[in-house]
Structures are given as C-alpha cells and as structure tokens.
C-alpha cells in the first residue's frame, strides 16, 4: 500500500494513498503505523481524504494504531469523505477519535 508521510511542526501527517482501506491492505497499514509509532512519533494526523471506503478491518487497523500509542500521544483524523464519515458515525468512532475537517485544523489541535 502507498502511504504518504510528512512532518508538519510537531505532528506527523500520514495519508494512505488508496481509495479503499479494507481487509486487503489493513494488515500492511497497521504494520506501517506501528513502525511510525515505535520510531517515536506521538502526534499523528491521519489524513483520510483519499480514502473512499473503510471496512471493519480498516477501522480495526486505525483503532489498533490508537491503542498502540498507549495514551502517550494523540492520533487524530481529518479529511473524511461523506461515506467514510458515515462509517465513523455508525460505529461511533467519531466519539473515539478527534475528527477534523481539514489537515490544518488537525495540526493546530495537536500543536495546542
């Protein structure tokens, strides 16, 4: 899977460059996120603006990343499309993660 990452101040912005975050790539995504967290990144913005579909495996991989942080940082989400936002609301993940409309809003929230 293709995963773009770039530093924005104290935050690391991570953006899957896939239209689907599903069982096909969830394991790879989870492992890549684990590596980023293990290497000391504690403020992560997950930009899902390119992702049009997330299944339970994809959601599980995102939740696993949050758990891996172990309360020693923040993982926030931005750029949700209507379909992925609906999935977040249906599964109440919008109550688990801080969700922002734009990357800049998410970065600002982590900088404060």
């Amino acid at each position: 899977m293709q995963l773009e990452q770039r530093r924005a101040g104290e935050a690391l912005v991570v953006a899957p460059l896939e239209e689907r975050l599903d069982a096909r790539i969830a394991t790879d995504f989870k492992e890549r996120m684990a590596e980023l967290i293990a290497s000391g990144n504690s403020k992560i913005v997950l930009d899902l603006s390119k992702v049009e579909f997330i299944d339970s495996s994809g959601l599980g991989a995102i939740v696993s990343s949050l758990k891996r942080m172990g309360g020693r940082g923040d993982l926030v989400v931005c750029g949700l499309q209507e379909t992925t936002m609906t999935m977040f609301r249906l599964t109440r993940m919008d109550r688990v993660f801080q969700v922002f409309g734009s990357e800049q809003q998410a970065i600002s929230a982590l900088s404060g």
Side-chain angles (χ1 to χ4, degrees):
M1 82 168 289
Q2 294 184 10
L3 195 66
E4 180 183 282
Q5 40 185 303
R6 63 185 175 284
R7 175 96 15 221
E10 298 176 26
L12 178 69
V13 179
V14 179
L17 302 178
E18 306 282 342
E19 292 182 358
R20 299 174 65 91
L21 185 50
D22 57 16
R24 183 178 56 84
I25 63 169
T27 301
D28 189 24
F29 173 79
K30 184 176 162 182
E31 290 173 359
R32 303 265 306 268
M33 290 296 290
E35 290 170 8
L36 293 172
I37 294 164
S39 63
N41 293 292
S42 60
K43 294 183 177 184
I44 298 177
V45 175
L46 182 58
D47 179 356
L48 295 175
S49 59
K50 301 275 192 288
V51 178
E52 297 176 0
F53 175 81
I54 300 174
D55 72 359
S56 59
S57 298
L59 279 177
I62 296 170
V63 171
S64 174
S65 299
L66 179 64
K67 285 185 172 181
R68 185 169 292 272
M69 296 188 87
R72 294 181 304 273
D74 286 315
L75 172 64
V76 301
V77 177
C78 73
L80 290 173
Q81 298 187 21
E82 189 173 325
T83 53
T84 51
M85 186 64 199
T86 298
M87 180 65 148
F88 265 65
R89 285 187 181 124
L90 287 173
T91 57
R92 300 189 186 271
M93 288 297 110
D94 60 327
R95 295 181 183 187
V96 175
F97 292 94
Q98 291 184 59
V99 178
F100 297 93
S102 74
E103 177 184 314
Q104 192 54 50
Q105 290 172 326
I107 292 168
S108 294
L110 290 180
S111 298

